[in-house]
Amino acid sequence: MEPKRSKYVCRRILLTGFTLYVALVTEQTCGLDVQADPEVIVQNGTTGVLRCSFKSSEVVTKRTTVTWRFQSNQPKSPFYESPHVIFYFSDGQGYPGLKEFKERVQFIGDINKRDVSIQLSPTQFSDNGTFFCDVKNPPDVSGTQAETLLRVVLKESLPQKNTGVIVAAVCGAMVLLVIIAVAACIIMRVLHSRHEYEGCTTLESKSSQAPQPPKKVESSSGGSRCTSPSGPLQGPVIYAQLDHSGSKNSFHKMEPVVYADIQKN
């Protein structure tokens, strides 16, 4: 029983080791991942940028190569049947392919940053089709190439951007913030005024309850204060009828006679 069990354990160990080896080898050989934009829409006569990047477990060297191919989607095009090389990058240099793209294609990427993008300027309606981006970074050579569908259209056919909507949203947000700030200022002023009014009312109520000092008596004429006379008091004025002629028909004249220094007994 023991020999059979030991053989079974050995087989399991060998199987596990082989599985790990296959997994590691597969991961190394399939570590290349190429990515590109699925679709690009540009206006006829402008510059079209075809972006492509890759991920690799290996270090980029001079042996790293990049190949761009093009296949037209127009049946009458000479590039309709199969993809044709339009750009090739190797040993740190770029090499244009077809003469139709020789003067219009340009490498704008950075191989050290794993960016292998190109631009096409000016674009033409004959450029409508699929562009293939293929990268080889030995020993990563089994990656899948990326595809980008290029659509060259008139200006009227370009998709509308949401720039207007974004600007309107930003302006609306700013106006809303201004309204909120103004409303907050008004509320703070109202609360502050109410607080001051309540404080004044409290002070007035307290002052009304406090005892009032006696008022000074003032004279009715001109509001001057009553003071004692500095000179002698004038006596009362007495009107007496005096007869200066002594006759009966004489006119009796009323003259005032002032008796000064009259004192009460």
Side-chain angles (χ1 to χ4, degrees):
M1 296 294 294
E2 291 296 333
K4 291 183 178 180
R5 186 174 181 179
S6 60
K7 289 182 179 179
Y8 177 75
V9 173
C10 291
R11 289 179 180 178
R12 292 294 300 270
I13 294 174
L14 291 174
L15 181 60
T16 303
F18 179 74
T19 304
L20 292 175
Y21 173 77
V22 172
L24 291 175
V25 172
T26 305
E27 183 180 0
Q28 291 181 357
T29 55
C30 297
L32 188 62
D33 182 21
V34 185
Q35 299 177 353
D37 296 332
E39 184 180 26
V40 175
I41 303 176
V42 297
Q43 179 184 346
N44 181 41
T46 61
T47 301
V49 178
L50 305 177
R51 301 192 179 279
C52 181
S53 61
F54 68 95
K55 296 179 181 180
S56 176
S57 58
E58 298 295 331
V59 180
V60 176
T61 63
K62 292 184 178 181
R63 296 188 301 167
T64 304
T65 61
V66 181
T67 305
W68 278 91
R69 297 180 177 88
F70 168 71
Q71 184 175 5
S72 177
N73 58 6
Q74 302 175 10
K76 295 183 179 181
S77 174
F79 314 116
Y80 177 76
E81 297 295 335
S82 61
H84 293 73
V85 177
I86 64 171
F87 183 80
Y88 181 74
F89 185 91
S90 178
D91 198 15
Q93 295 183 357
Y95 305 92
L98 298 173
K99 61 179 181 179
E100 288 81 1
F101 295 90
K102 184 176 181 179
E103 302 296 334
R104 298 189 298 125
V105 66
Q106 182 181 359
F107 184 77
I108 60 173
D110 188 348
I111 193 68
N112 295 321
K113 296 181 179 179
R114 292 172 169 77
D115 183 7
V116 293
S117 304
I118 62 173
Q119 74 175 14
L120 197 62
S121 180
T123 55
Q124 304 173 359
F125 289 115
S126 58
D127 298 332
N128 281 286
T130 304
F131 289 79
F132 301 90
C133 178
D134 188 15
V135 180
K136 304 295 183 184
N137 188 33
D140 291 345
V141 294
S142 60
T144 305
Q145 62 183 2
E147 300 180 7
T148 299
L149 177 62
L150 178 63
R151 294 175 53 192
V152 182
V153 298
L154 296 174
K155 183 178 180 179
E156 294 77 11
S157 301
L158 288 173
Q160 298 295 329
K161 296 182 179 180
N162 297 328
T163 305
V165 178
I166 295 174
V167 172
V170 172
C171 293
M174 294 179 64
V175 171
L176 181 61
L177 290 176
V178 171
I179 293 174
I180 292 174
V182 172
C185 292
I186 293 175
I187 293 174
M188 291 179 64
R189 288 185 178 181
V190 171
L191 293 177
H192 184 67
S193 301
R194 183 178 299 176
H195 179 70
E196 289 183 350
Y197 175 76
E198 291 178 355
C200 294
T201 306
T202 305
L203 292 176
E204 289 179 359
S205 61
K206 289 183 179 180
S207 62
S208 62
Q209 294 176 1
Q212 299 292 334
K215 296 182 179 180
K216 296 181 179 179
V217 179
E218 297 180 354
S219 62
S220 60
S221 61
S224 61
R225 298 180 180 178
C226 296
T227 57
S228 60
S230 60
L233 293 174
Q234 182 180 358
V237 179
I238 301 174
Y239 290 89
Q241 185 176 4
L242 301 177
D243 186 1
H244 297 280
S245 62
S247 62
K248 296 180 179 180
N249 297 325
S250 62
F251 178 76
H252 296 83
K253 188 183 293 183
M254 301 291 292
E255 294 183 1
V257 179
V258 179
Y259 293 89
D261 300 331
I262 298 177
Q263 298 180 358
K264 294 182 180 181
N265 294 327

mmCIF file of all heavy atoms in Angstrom, residues 61-82:
data_model
loop_
_atom_site.group_PDB
_atom_site.id
_atom_site.type_symbol
_atom_site.label_atom_id
_atom_site.label_comp_id
_atom_site.label_asym_id
_atom_site.label_seq_id
_atom_site.Cartn_x
_atom_site.Cartn_y
_atom_site.Cartn_z
ATOM 1 N N THR A 61 13.124 47.676 -26.245
ATOM 2 C CA THR A 61 14.481 47.715 -26.800
ATOM 3 C C THR A 61 14.434 48.138 -28.261
ATOM 4 O O THR A 61 13.361 48.449 -28.803
ATOM 5 C CB THR A 61 15.140 46.332 -26.666
ATOM 6 O OG1 THR A 61 14.399 45.377 -27.434
ATOM 7 C CG2 THR A 61 15.183 45.881 -25.208
ATOM 8 N N LYS A 62 15.591 48.103 -28.904
ATOM 9 C CA LYS A 62 15.645 48.423 -30.331
ATOM 10 C C LYS A 62 14.956 47.377 -31.180
ATOM 11 O O LYS A 62 14.621 47.634 -32.345
ATOM 12 C CB LYS A 62 17.099 48.576 -30.771
ATOM 13 C CG LYS A 62 17.786 49.807 -30.178
ATOM 14 C CD LYS A 62 19.195 49.948 -30.733
ATOM 15 C CE LYS A 62 19.875 51.191 -30.206
ATOM 16 N NZ LYS A 62 21.247 51.378 -30.758
ATOM 17 N N ARG A 63 14.736 46.223 -30.618
ATOM 18 C CA ARG A 63 14.061 45.172 -31.381
ATOM 19 C C ARG A 63 12.549 45.342 -31.403
ATOM 20 O O ARG A 63 11.856 44.629 -32.129
ATOM 21 C CB ARG A 63 14.410 43.806 -30.797
ATOM 22 C CG ARG A 63 15.894 43.452 -30.904
ATOM 23 C CD ARG A 63 16.124 42.020 -30.486
ATOM 24 N NE ARG A 63 15.682 41.782 -29.094
ATOM 25 C CZ ARG A 63 15.533 40.576 -28.568
ATOM 26 N NH1 ARG A 63 15.772 39.496 -29.304
ATOM 27 N NH2 ARG A 63 15.151 40.444 -27.311
ATOM 28 N N THR A 64 12.044 46.267 -30.612
ATOM 29 C CA THR A 64 10.602 46.517 -30.609
ATOM 30 C C THR A 64 10.183 47.125 -31.944
ATOM 31 O O THR A 64 10.781 48.101 -32.407
ATOM 32 C CB THR A 64 10.227 47.467 -29.458
ATOM 33 O OG1 THR A 64 10.688 46.916 -28.215
ATOM 34 C CG2 THR A 64 8.725 47.671 -29.386
ATOM 35 N N THR A 65 9.159 46.568 -32.534
ATOM 36 C CA THR A 65 8.688 47.033 -33.845
ATOM 37 C C THR A 65 7.207 47.404 -33.776
ATOM 38 O O THR A 65 6.440 46.843 -32.976
ATOM 39 C CB THR A 65 8.875 45.958 -34.912
ATOM 40 O OG1 THR A 65 8.115 44.795 -34.553
ATOM 41 C CG2 THR A 65 10.350 45.594 -35.051
ATOM 42 N N VAL A 66 6.844 48.347 -34.628
ATOM 43 C CA VAL A 66 5.446 48.794 -34.741
ATOM 44 C C VAL A 66 5.078 48.798 -36.211
ATOM 45 O O VAL A 66 5.816 49.334 -37.051
ATOM 46 C CB VAL A 66 5.251 50.196 -34.138
ATOM 47 C CG1 VAL A 66 3.789 50.622 -34.257
ATOM 48 C CG2 VAL A 66 5.706 50.235 -32.691
ATOM 49 N N THR A 67 3.924 48.234 -36.517
ATOM 50 C CA THR A 67 3.451 48.178 -37.901
ATOM 51 C C THR A 67 2.017 48.684 -37.970
ATOM 52 O O THR A 67 1.134 48.175 -37.266
ATOM 53 C CB THR A 67 3.508 46.749 -38.458
ATOM 54 O OG1 THR A 67 4.843 46.238 -38.310
ATOM 55 C CG2 THR A 67 3.134 46.736 -39.926
ATOM 56 N N TRP A 68 1.804 49.694 -38.814
ATOM 57 C CA TRP A 68 0.454 50.206 -39.071
ATOM 58 C C TRP A 68 0.019 49.775 -40.460
ATOM 59 O O TRP A 68 0.743 49.974 -41.436
ATOM 60 C CB TRP A 68 0.434 51.727 -38.975
ATOM 61 C CG TRP A 68 0.330 52.264 -37.571
ATOM 62 C CD1 TRP A 68 1.357 52.580 -36.753
ATOM 63 C CD2 TRP A 68 -0.874 52.542 -36.855
ATOM 64 N NE1 TRP A 68 0.889 53.044 -35.550
ATOM 65 C CE2 TRP A 68 -0.488 53.037 -35.581
ATOM 66 C CE3 TRP A 68 -2.232 52.428 -37.148
ATOM 67 C CZ2 TRP A 68 -1.408 53.416 -34.615
ATOM 68 C CZ3 TRP A 68 -3.153 52.807 -36.180
ATOM 69 C CH2 TRP A 68 -2.748 53.292 -34.934
ATOM 70 N N ARG A 69 -1.181 49.216 -40.531
ATOM 71 C CA ARG A 69 -1.747 48.773 -41.806
ATOM 72 C C ARG A 69 -3.109 49.422 -42.018
ATOM 73 O O ARG A 69 -3.757 49.836 -41.056
ATOM 74 C CB ARG A 69 -1.878 47.246 -41.848
ATOM 75 C CG ARG A 69 -0.555 46.491 -41.767
ATOM 76 C CD ARG A 69 -0.784 44.987 -41.820
ATOM 77 N NE ARG A 69 0.468 44.228 -41.814
ATOM 78 C CZ ARG A 69 1.094 43.839 -40.718
ATOM 79 N NH1 ARG A 69 0.575 44.141 -39.518
ATOM 80 N NH2 ARG A 69 2.231 43.162 -40.800
ATOM 81 N N PHE A 70 -3.499 49.475 -43.292
ATOM 82 C CA PHE A 70 -4.776 50.092 -43.650
ATOM 83 C C PHE A 70 -5.510 49.209 -44.642
ATOM 84 O O PHE A 70 -4.925 48.687 -45.592
ATOM 85 C CB PHE A 70 -4.551 51.482 -44.266
ATOM 86 C CG PHE A 70 -5.775 52.065 -44.922
ATOM 87 C CD1 PHE A 70 -6.848 52.497 -44.161
ATOM 88 C CD2 PHE A 70 -5.852 52.173 -46.316
ATOM 89 C CE1 PHE A 70 -7.982 53.025 -44.771
ATOM 90 C CE2 PHE A 70 -6.971 52.708 -46.918
ATOM 91 C CZ PHE A 70 -8.034 53.136 -46.150
ATOM 92 N N GLN A 71 -6.827 49.095 -44.387
ATOM 93 C CA GLN A 71 -7.707 48.376 -45.303
ATOM 94 C C GLN A 71 -8.944 49.222 -45.536
ATOM 95 O O GLN A 71 -9.675 49.550 -44.596
ATOM 96 C CB GLN A 71 -8.102 47.004 -44.758
ATOM 97 C CG GLN A 71 -8.936 46.191 -45.749
ATOM 98 C CD GLN A 71 -9.217 44.781 -45.250
ATOM 99 O OE1 GLN A 71 -8.876 44.428 -44.110
ATOM 100 N NE2 GLN A 71 -9.822 43.961 -46.094
ATOM 101 N N SER A 72 -9.163 49.594 -46.792
ATOM 102 C CA SER A 72 -10.278 50.472 -47.133
ATOM 103 C C SER A 72 -11.602 49.728 -47.051
ATOM 104 O O SER A 72 -11.677 48.507 -47.258
ATOM 105 C CB SER A 72 -10.079 51.040 -48.541
ATOM 106 O OG SER A 72 -11.181 51.831 -48.917
ATOM 107 N N ASN A 73 -12.669 50.477 -46.760
ATOM 108 C CA ASN A 73 -14.020 49.899 -46.770
ATOM 109 C C ASN A 73 -14.787 50.280 -48.032
ATOM 110 O O ASN A 73 -16.001 50.078 -48.113
ATOM 111 C CB ASN A 73 -14.799 50.343 -45.535
ATOM 112 C CG ASN A 73 -14.916 51.859 -45.416
ATOM 113 O OD1 ASN A 73 -14.508 52.600 -46.321
ATOM 114 N ND2 ASN A 73 -15.458 52.334 -44.309
ATOM 115 N N GLN A 74 -14.080 50.826 -49.036
ATOM 116 C CA GLN A 74 -14.690 51.181 -50.314
ATOM 117 C C GLN A 74 -14.316 50.129 -51.359
ATOM 118 O O GLN A 74 -13.122 49.896 -51.608
ATOM 119 C CB GLN A 74 -14.217 52.569 -50.761
ATOM 120 C CG GLN A 74 -14.526 53.671 -49.747
ATOM 121 C CD GLN A 74 -13.957 55.012 -50.148
ATOM 122 O OE1 GLN A 74 -13.477 55.192 -51.271
ATOM 123 N NE2 GLN A 74 -14.001 55.981 -49.232
ATOM 124 N N PRO A 75 -15.290 49.499 -51.943
ATOM 125 C CA PRO A 75 -15.000 48.397 -52.888
ATOM 126 C C PRO A 75 -14.118 48.802 -54.060
ATOM 127 O O PRO A 75 -13.357 47.978 -54.574
ATOM 128 C CB PRO A 75 -16.391 47.964 -53.355
ATOM 129 C CG PRO A 75 -17.319 48.414 -52.267
ATOM 130 C CD PRO A 75 -16.729 49.684 -51.732
ATOM 131 N N LYS A 76 -14.176 50.041 -54.486
ATOM 132 C CA LYS A 76 -13.395 50.472 -55.641
ATOM 133 C C LYS A 76 -11.957 50.836 -55.274
ATOM 134 O O LYS A 76 -11.159 51.144 -56.157
ATOM 135 C CB LYS A 76 -14.068 51.666 -56.312
ATOM 136 C CG LYS A 76 -15.428 51.327 -56.914
ATOM 137 C CD LYS A 76 -16.008 52.542 -57.617
ATOM 138 C CE LYS A 76 -17.360 52.216 -58.238
ATOM 139 N NZ LYS A 76 -17.931 53.398 -58.945
ATOM 140 N N SER A 77 -11.624 50.817 -54.020
ATOM 141 C CA SER A 77 -10.281 51.186 -53.597
ATOM 142 C C SER A 77 -9.303 50.034 -53.835
ATOM 143 O O SER A 77 -9.656 48.858 -53.663
ATOM 144 C CB SER A 77 -10.283 51.547 -52.107
ATOM 145 O OG SER A 77 -8.979 51.765 -51.636
ATOM 146 N N PRO A 78 -8.066 50.334 -54.180
ATOM 147 C CA PRO A 78 -7.070 49.263 -54.368
ATOM 148 C C PRO A 78 -6.650 48.613 -53.046
ATOM 149 O O PRO A 78 -5.999 47.573 -53.057
ATOM 150 C CB PRO A 78 -5.893 49.984 -55.025
ATOM 151 C CG PRO A 78 -6.052 51.413 -54.647
ATOM 152 C CD PRO A 78 -7.513 51.649 -54.538
ATOM 153 N N PHE A 79 -7.052 49.191 -51.925
ATOM 154 C CA PHE A 79 -6.692 48.637 -50.619
ATOM 155 C C PHE A 79 -7.895 47.952 -49.953
ATOM 156 O O PHE A 79 -7.931 47.808 -48.730
ATOM 157 C CB PHE A 79 -6.174 49.751 -49.699
ATOM 158 C CG PHE A 79 -5.186 50.664 -50.353
ATOM 159 C CD1 PHE A 79 -5.470 52.005 -50.541
ATOM 160 C CD2 PHE A 79 -3.971 50.178 -50.800
ATOM 161 C CE1 PHE A 79 -4.558 52.854 -51.138
ATOM 162 C CE2 PHE A 79 -3.047 51.013 -51.408
ATOM 163 C CZ PHE A 79 -3.340 52.359 -51.581
ATOM 164 N N TYR A 80 -8.843 47.565 -50.773
ATOM 165 C CA TYR A 80 -10.069 46.977 -50.228
ATOM 166 C C TYR A 80 -9.894 45.492 -49.900
ATOM 167 O O TYR A 80 -10.468 44.998 -48.928
ATOM 168 C CB TYR A 80 -11.216 47.174 -51.222
ATOM 169 C CG TYR A 80 -12.517 46.539 -50.790
ATOM 170 C CD1 TYR A 80 -13.296 47.130 -49.797
ATOM 171 C CD2 TYR A 80 -12.968 45.364 -51.385
ATOM 172 C CE1 TYR A 80 -14.478 46.543 -49.407
ATOM 173 C CE2 TYR A 80 -14.161 44.786 -50.994
ATOM 174 C CZ TYR A 80 -14.916 45.376 -50.004
ATOM 175 O OH TYR A 80 -16.093 44.791 -49.612
ATOM 176 N N GLU A 81 -9.142 44.788 -50.663
ATOM 177 C CA GLU A 81 -9.057 43.336 -50.526
ATOM 178 C C GLU A 81 -8.331 42.905 -49.252
ATOM 179 O O GLU A 81 -8.770 41.966 -48.575
ATOM 180 C CB GLU A 81 -8.348 42.744 -51.750
ATOM 181 C CG GLU A 81 -9.099 42.961 -53.053
ATOM 182 C CD GLU A 81 -10.420 42.229 -53.084
ATOM 183 O OE1 GLU A 81 -10.558 41.209 -52.353
ATOM 184 O OE2 GLU A 81 -11.318 42.655 -53.822
ATOM 185 N N SER A 82 -7.254 43.574 -48.903
ATOM 186 C CA SER A 82 -6.450 43.155 -47.753
ATOM 187 C C SER A 82 -5.716 44.362 -47.178
ATOM 188 O O SER A 82 -5.553 45.377 -47.865
ATOM 189 C CB SER A 82 -5.433 42.083 -48.165
ATOM 190 O OG SER A 82 -4.540 42.601 -49.146
#
